[in-house]
Amino acid sequence: MTDGLISRIQRYSTRDGPGVRSTVFAVGCPLRCKWCANPELIEAGMKLIFHRQRCVKCGACAGVTGSRRAGVCFYDAYETVGVNITVMELAAKLLRDKAFYDQSGGGVTYSGGEPALQADFFLEVTKRLKAESVHVALDTSGHAPWDRLAALAEAVDLVLFDIKAVNSETHKLYTGADNRLILENAQRIADTGREMIVRLLLVPGVNDSGQEIDGRLAFVRGLKNVRRVDILKYHRLGAGKYAGLGLDYPMEGVPECPEGSARYAAEKAMDMGFEVSVGG
């Protein structure tokens, strides 16, 4: 049985589906979104993040290399990202909070990164959770071969689907891939009858124009079983992680999403009859 590679489990989440949830962050993503708030989850494998602001230059890590630095630092200046975990181990950790799921109408959400890259692993975890009547959601970019995505999407109760741009050239410029497969998979999931929440991120100067917003919403209107549209406002909260990984921040100088853009998108979505949530 295949093990999984995850970074963390965020307990008591309220923004990744209904009720109180545990969100599992998978490591590895096929896209290279320039605004990604979790750059440590893009490349597969374990990484080491250096939190410079925590370092007091005590010298404890002198002569120590690689991930071992995290084990000798007294101030948590080094953080390892990525842990191998078995299906049974992850399911057991998630089931510890079943009482909270039951009381709140919540459950478990797979996020990332891209969980579909580890579809076999998360499918096995889902089977164990569903045997205990736990609600399961998948948060996906949709950029995965359908034969990998289909079984996982059909096994969960809810799919949170990100549509980053309707213009293919814009999508490729800012994510490294065109959006044909993503839009095809959104339609395929909708055709299965699976309940969906569609998430639209707004990045100033990238995908927040009226034309882009209208185009994405027009596409969403053609999907069946869309429970809600989430308008997500671009923020810079992940910028520090790039420095910790020794990377330049690709969106340097881009302001956070203004309220006007979010309000326009929300009003347009509500005019189409969608339930709408606005967040960051």
Side-chain angles (χ1 to χ4, degrees):
M1 187 177 296
T2 303
D3 289 353
L5 182 64
I6 67 171
S7 66
R8 68 187 188 279
I9 301 171
Q10 182 176 316
R11 303 171 68 201
Y12 312 123
S13 172
T14 59
R15 302 197 64 85
D16 296 316
V20 175
R21 312 189 69 80
S22 294
T23 301
V24 182
F25 289 87
V27 176
C29 184
L31 298 179
R32 298 294 183 267
C33 301
K34 293 185 178 182
W35 52 72
C36 183
N38 296 309
E40 75 279 12
L41 304 184
I42 295 177
E43 300 291 345
M46 298 180 65
K47 296 109 183 158
L48 186 69
I49 298 180
F50 176 50
H51 299 281
R52 186 176 302 277
Q53 70 277 13
R54 300 178 188 173
C55 180
V56 298
K57 303 185 185 303
C58 67
C61 65
V64 180
T65 60
S67 61
R68 292 186 299 155
R69 289 183 171 184
V72 301
C73 181
F74 298 112
Y75 300 94
D76 295 326
Y78 291 95
E79 174 189 0
T80 55
V81 175
V83 58
N84 288 300
I85 191 168
T86 68
V87 168
M88 294 185 66
E89 287 172 339
L90 180 55
K93 288 178 180 290
L94 296 170
L95 288 170
R96 292 173 189 170
D97 287 330
K98 186 176 185 298
F100 294 103
Y101 311 151
D102 293 344
Q103 292 169 7
S104 68
V108 170
T109 299
Y110 308 139
S111 187
E114 174 52 68
L117 293 184
Q118 303 180 60
D120 293 342
F121 171 76
F122 283 109
L123 183 58
E124 290 301 317
V125 177
T126 300
K127 291 176 181 178
R128 282 160 174 75
L129 296 177
K130 298 304 294 178
E132 300 295 333
S133 301
V134 174
H135 182 279
V136 182
L138 167 67
D139 184 1
T140 180
S141 69
H143 193 72
W146 179 240
D147 61 353
R148 300 283 296 164
L149 180 60
L152 183 56
E154 291 177 7
V156 301
D157 301 286
L158 172 68
V159 175
L160 286 68
F161 200 99
D162 300 321
I163 300 179
K164 305 174 192 305
V166 73
N167 181 282
S168 181
E169 292 182 1
T170 297
H171 196 282
K172 188 170 185 177
L173 178 62
Y174 285 94
T175 73
D178 68 34
N179 57 2
R180 179 182 57 82
L181 178 61
I182 291 170
L183 299 181
E184 288 177 355
N185 283 341
Q187 188 65 64
R188 287 167 173 154
I189 292 173
D191 289 345
T192 69
R194 182 64 62 241
E195 188 175 44
M196 300 176 72
I197 292 177
V198 176
R199 313 184 106 176
L200 308 180
L201 175 68
L202 301 182
V203 183
V206 177
N207 60 4
D208 67 333
S209 67
Q211 182 179 12
E212 176 62 43
I213 292 171
D214 292 351
R216 281 191 280 173
L217 287 173
F219 176 81
V220 175
R221 184 166 51 184
L223 302 176
K224 304 174 185 177
N225 301 319
V226 174
R227 168 178 178 163
R228 191 179 74 217
V229 173
D230 288 351
I231 307 300
L232 305 181
K233 297 183 291 184
Y234 164 74
H235 56 68
R236 296 172 53 85
L237 297 180
K241 295 181 181 180
Y242 287 83
L245 291 166
L247 303 172
D248 293 330
Y249 185 51
M251 303 299 285
E252 192 62 48
V254 176
E256 295 192 344
C257 177
E259 290 297 328
S261 296
R263 184 166 56 251
Y264 174 87
E267 291 174 353
K268 280 282 185 175
M270 287 187 286
D271 288 344
M272 292 181 177
F274 291 116
E275 177 187 346
V276 176
S277 172
V278 179

